[in-house]
């Protein structure tokens, strides 16, 4: 019997068809491929991707649980607005990195970082164990190595910030690891546009030294200054964008 569905589409999903379909469709939703378009029915997805109805149904359920889809009577399955997405979900965060860059997204990430990371640095200064401080120091050492070209600058920066979240002694803060990592990746994409700017080693060293010294006030203030620097660049970019829009209206 001839397979009625496209085998190439099924092969592209990998061995685990459900998770493969989840990844392909989830990425398409988050990156805007369905914006302004009708979302396919389960039957259409089944044919498009060469999988069984049960695989499609399970993938749609998983996407619904992530807040990306919803099923409504007489409307079928529709794509949910961004406000309904589970932005703490690791898959959603990963797909967001592939989305077209926007200043509002970076601002949202940075505002959340401002609410979380300075407090985490304060708590780390108060409660970090010797092992926790060693991991933060190791993260900074990687940043120094990256400056010499011996490590990846972005991965080293993320390792430093994640080490602080883990060292602060509050398990809830550790849950922000994926979000902070995604925020940093988004931030670097943005700041690299400004003369190839990279993370400030002196500022990060000041955070490390404050934590090692147990100075929670200074640790929080220095972490805040790191993130505020990004906010300054965002405001600058927004102002330049607004000025460009005004010029376009005046001279268009």
């Amino acid at each position: 019997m001839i397979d009625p569905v496209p085998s190439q589409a099924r092969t592209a999903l990998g061995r685990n068809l459900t998770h493969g379909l989840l990844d392909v469709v989830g990425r398409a939703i988050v990156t805007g491929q369905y914006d302004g378009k009708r979302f396919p029915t389960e039957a259409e997805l089944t044919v498009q991707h060469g999988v069984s109805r049960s695989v499609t149904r399970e993938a749609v359920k998983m996407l619904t649980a992530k807040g990306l889809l919803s099923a409504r009577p007489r409307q079928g399955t529709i794509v949910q607005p961004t406000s309904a997405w589970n932005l703490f979900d690791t898959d959603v965060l990963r797909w967001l990195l592939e989305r077209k860059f926007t200043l509002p997204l970076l601002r949202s990430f940075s505002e959340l970082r401002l609410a979380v990371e300075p407090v985490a640095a304060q708590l780390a200064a108060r409660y970090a164990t010797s092992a926790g401080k060693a991991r933060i120091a190791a993260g900074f050492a990687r940043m120094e190595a990256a400056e010499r070209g011996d490590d990846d600058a972005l991965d080293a920066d993320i390792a430093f910030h994640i080490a602080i979240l883990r060292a602060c002694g509050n398990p809830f803060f550790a849950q922000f690891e994926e979000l902070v990592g995604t925020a940093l990746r988004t931030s670097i994409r943005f700041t690299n546009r400004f003369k190839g700017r990279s993370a400030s080693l002196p500022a990060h060293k000041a955070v490390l030294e404050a934590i090692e010294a147990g100075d929670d006030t200074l640790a929080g203030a220095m972490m805040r200054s790191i993130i505020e620097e990004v906010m300054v660049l965002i405001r600058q970019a927004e102002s330049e964008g607004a000025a460009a829009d005004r010029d376009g209206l005046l001279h268009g």
Side-chain angles (χ1 to χ4, degrees):
M1 180 177 178
I2 298 176
D3 192 343
V5 294
S7 59
Q8 289 182 339
R10 181 170 58 240
T11 302
L13 299 179
R15 288 188 175 183
N16 189 315
L17 295 179
T18 300
H19 285 88
L21 184 60
L22 169 77
D23 188 63
V24 169
V25 179
R27 179 181 290 107
I29 293 171
V30 173
T31 57
Q33 294 182 37
Y34 289 111
D35 290 356
K37 300 177 182 178
R38 180 184 65 83
F39 188 76
T41 64
E42 288 187 4
E44 290 170 335
L45 286 173
T46 295
V47 173
Q48 289 172 11
H49 298 281
V51 295
S52 67
R53 288 293 293 270
S54 61
V55 165
T56 301
R57 192 173 300 112
E58 185 61 27
V60 168
K61 284 182 181 178
M62 295 167 73
L63 291 167
T64 300
K66 295 176 186 293
L68 302 184
L69 297 174
S70 69
R72 298 181 182 178
R74 293 186 296 278
Q75 289 185 334
T77 302
I78 63 172
V79 175
Q80 289 280 74
T82 308
S83 58
W85 298 354
N86 179 3
L87 298 178
F88 290 95
D89 183 274
T90 55
D91 287 330
V92 176
L93 287 170
R94 177 166 52 83
W95 296 326
L96 277 172
L97 282 174
E98 300 181 34
R99 191 177 183 178
K100 182 180 178 181
F101 173 84
T102 65
L103 283 173
L105 176 63
L106 178 59
R107 173 181 285 280
S108 296
F109 274 138
S110 299
E111 288 170 345
L112 185 58
R113 288 185 64 200
L114 277 173
V116 173
E117 291 194 72
V119 178
Q122 286 183 308
L123 293 175
R126 295 176 196 168
Y127 304 122
T129 63
S130 57
K133 292 178 181 178
R135 283 191 289 269
I136 298 171
F140 182 73
R142 287 189 61 185
M143 294 182 70
E144 290 181 310
E147 190 79 1
R148 300 189 301 269
D150 296 329
D151 203 333
D152 181 84
L154 178 54
D155 288 344
D157 195 2
I158 291 174
F160 177 84
H161 287 268
I162 295 304
I164 292 174
L165 290 175
R166 292 177 177 175
C168 75
N170 187 319
F172 291 100
F173 279 80
Q175 298 297 311
F176 287 97
E177 287 184 18
E178 290 287 344
L179 188 144
V180 168
T182 301
L184 281 167
R185 292 184 189 280
T186 303
S187 178
I188 292 296
R189 285 164 57 190
F190 168 70
T191 55
N192 279 349
R193 300 180 183 183
F194 287 77
K195 302 176 183 179
R197 295 180 61 140
S198 58
S200 168
L201 283 181
H204 285 73
K205 185 176 182 180
V207 174
L208 170 62
E209 291 178 341
I211 290 174
E212 291 178 330
D215 190 336
D216 59 345
T217 300
L218 182 59
M222 293 309 301
M223 180 61 81
R224 175 171 288 276
S225 72
I226 290 172
I227 305 170
E228 281 286 5
E229 185 178 3
V230 179
M231 295 297 292
V232 170
L233 293 177
I234 293 173
R235 287 190 284 271
Q236 177 184 336
E238 289 175 333
S239 296
E240 292 173 355
D245 288 342
R246 286 195 298 272
D247 288 343
L249 289 173
L250 289 173
H251 303 105

